[in-house]
Amino acid sequence: MHIDLRTVSIQPLRQTFDHLVRRFGDKPASRYQEASYDIQAAENLHYRPTWEPEQELYDTRITKIVMQDWYALKDPRQFYYSTYTLTRARQQENAEANFAFVESRGLVELMPEGIRRAALELLVPLRHAAWGANLNNTFIGGYGYGTVFTQPCIYHAMDNLGTAQYLSRIGLLLGDTEALDAGKAAWMQGDTWQDLRRYVEDTLVLRDPFESFVAQNVVLDGLLYPLVYARIVDEHFAANGGSMVAMLTQFMSDWFDETRKWIDAVLKVAAAESDANREQLQAWTCAWRERAVVALTPLACQVFVDQADEIVSEQLDAFKARLDKIGVVI
């Protein structure tokens, strides 16, 4: 019996879905395109929200930002569920390895008491701010428009939930359950935290998803993460015997560097769409920036005392330079 093996090339009848052909042409689509483009529910919505009947379930009029095509706000990371979860799984493995290294070698006992106490007082209350960021991004995911915009927001929400959990683990590692109780008490009652708490709670009642995006992801995170995780943890704590704290917060530092690319891309495209968009984004950014500076200065004072105003000013200058590059001049 003779078997003849040959390679046969079979041409597919269709390259991709019709809606992707209309947008990108008749060619094979990437997984990101298949999972992200033109899948926003837009027609045949069965009912209007009973709590706001003048609004459609998915309504572009809920925000003051106007886009001709909401799918222009694409994610440069091209995250869809598979790539997102694979990326975070690798980061989770690194974080677990860092926690295991610190615990197995008893590095907490080697940390200066002043740095341990400062880390607890600074980081544990921030888990409540991260929870607020989770809620804000969940809101944007629910009320924003266009899957390329809302999809990364729900990923962002879950990332903030993970950050809150990491901060809780740091509290348990450095101070046991009493540290979590003390952190909650500080968040609810401590003078240092009330401006930040007010900022977070005020963002929770915003009705414009794009303003929520600016207030949370652009302004608050854009100032808080460089101040807390870069300036205080990676520099100040590490230089004073607390390098293991930097190991435990590595995810936060890496995550901010990664997500900033997406946030900047969204803001740049939205601002370039029209002068009205740019002016609105500038107005929101300026208003929330002033409040963020007031909210974060007490955190800097808690660590740097007399240098706090100078350090916050440095962070503000860097934030302004970042936004200048993407066309939102403040």
Side-chain angles (χ1 to χ4, degrees):
M1 180 178 178
H2 177 71
I3 299 176
D4 186 15
L5 299 178
R6 293 182 299 168
T7 300
V8 178
S9 178
I10 300 176
Q11 294 297 325
L13 296 178
R14 296 164 57 92
Q15 299 279 8
T16 185
F17 300 104
D18 287 344
H19 65 279
L20 295 179
V21 171
R22 289 191 293 270
R23 180 176 287 274
F24 299 110
D26 190 9
K27 57 184 179 181
S30 69
R31 292 293 189 190
Y32 173 70
Q33 291 170 339
E34 290 180 343
S36 306
Y37 279 90
D38 296 318
I39 56 178
Q40 166 73 54
E43 298 175 351
N44 302 319
L45 304 178
H46 296 294
Y47 57 88
R48 290 175 178 267
T50 56
W51 63 91
E52 200 161 0
E54 69 276 9
Q55 172 192 322
E56 294 283 1
L57 274 178
Y58 306 105
D59 199 331
T60 59
R61 297 170 300 172
I62 196 175
T63 177
K64 293 180 180 179
I65 298 301
V66 178
M67 297 292 297
Q68 182 177 357
D69 179 13
W70 283 92
Y71 285 91
L73 304 176
K74 62 183 179 181
D75 181 357
R77 303 167 299 175
Q78 298 201 4
F79 273 176
Y80 60 99
Y81 185 75
S82 177
T83 51
Y84 166 73
T85 53
L86 288 172
T87 300
R88 292 295 179 261
R90 288 192 294 269
Q91 291 175 305
Q92 171 75 4
E93 291 175 358
N94 291 336
E96 291 296 336
N98 287 345
F99 273 90
F101 183 87
V102 169
E103 292 183 71
S104 65
R105 286 160 175 79
L107 298 185
V108 175
E109 288 74 19
L110 301 178
M111 187 188 309
E113 177 60 22
I115 292 296
R116 186 189 70 85
R117 186 169 57 253
L120 284 173
E121 292 174 352
L122 175 68
L123 296 178
V124 177
L126 283 175
R127 69 194 186 113
H128 300 284
W131 175 242
N134 168 272
L135 294 176
N136 280 329
N137 279 280
T138 300
F139 167 75
I140 302 168
Y143 286 86
Y145 197 87
T147 309
V148 294
F149 176 55
T150 58
Q151 177 177 236
C153 286
I154 202 63
Y155 297 155
H156 213 64
M158 298 311 299
D159 290 341
N160 277 286
L161 180 59
T163 294
Q165 292 173 338
Y166 281 138
L167 292 172
S168 298
R169 288 183 64 181
I170 291 172
L172 292 171
L173 183 60
L174 300 184
D176 214 335
T177 56
E178 291 81 3
L180 303 187
D181 293 336
K184 181 178 180 180
W187 178 259
M188 297 297 293
Q189 302 168 4
D191 292 340
T192 299
W193 296 95
Q194 294 317 296
D195 288 320
L196 180 57
R197 178 187 166 202
R198 185 176 297 108
Y199 185 110
V200 171
E201 291 179 356
D202 284 351
T203 61
L204 295 179
V205 296
L206 292 175
R207 289 295 298 145
D208 188 314
F210 221 102
E211 183 180 5
S212 185
F213 181 86
V214 170
Q216 178 65 61
N217 298 338
V218 177
V219 178
L220 183 57
D221 288 354
L223 290 170
L224 186 150
Y225 275 77
L227 172 64
V228 171
Y229 296 106
R231 187 67 178 84
I232 297 178
V233 174
D234 289 350
E235 293 184 20
H236 179 73
F237 286 174
N240 290 277
S243 57
M244 55 82 60
V245 181
M247 291 181 62
L248 300 178
T249 60
Q250 181 185 354
F251 170 78
M252 291 73 144
S253 299
D254 294 345
W255 175 83
F256 176 74
D257 290 339
E258 172 213 293
T259 56
R260 181 174 58 185
K261 299 173 185 176
W262 159 62
I263 292 167
D264 287 356
V266 169
L267 208 62
K268 182 177 182 179
V269 172
E273 179 79 6
S274 67
D275 291 339
N277 277 4
R278 181 181 296 104
E279 291 169 3
Q280 184 61 69
L281 291 171
Q282 289 170 341
W284 281 336
T285 303
C286 288
W288 288 105
R289 176 198 59 185
E290 296 304 317
R291 294 192 56 179
V293 169
V294 172
L296 295 176
T297 299
L299 276 63
C301 288
Q302 190 170 268
V303 177
F304 296 112
V305 192
D306 296 336
Q307 296 177 300
D309 289 337
E310 178 184 347
I311 289 171
V312 171
S313 179
E314 291 174 1
Q315 300 300 323
L316 194 57
D317 290 342
F319 177 71
K320 182 179 182 299
R322 171 190 164 192
L323 294 190
D324 286 349
K325 292 180 180 179
I326 58 178
V328 180
V329 180
I330 57 175

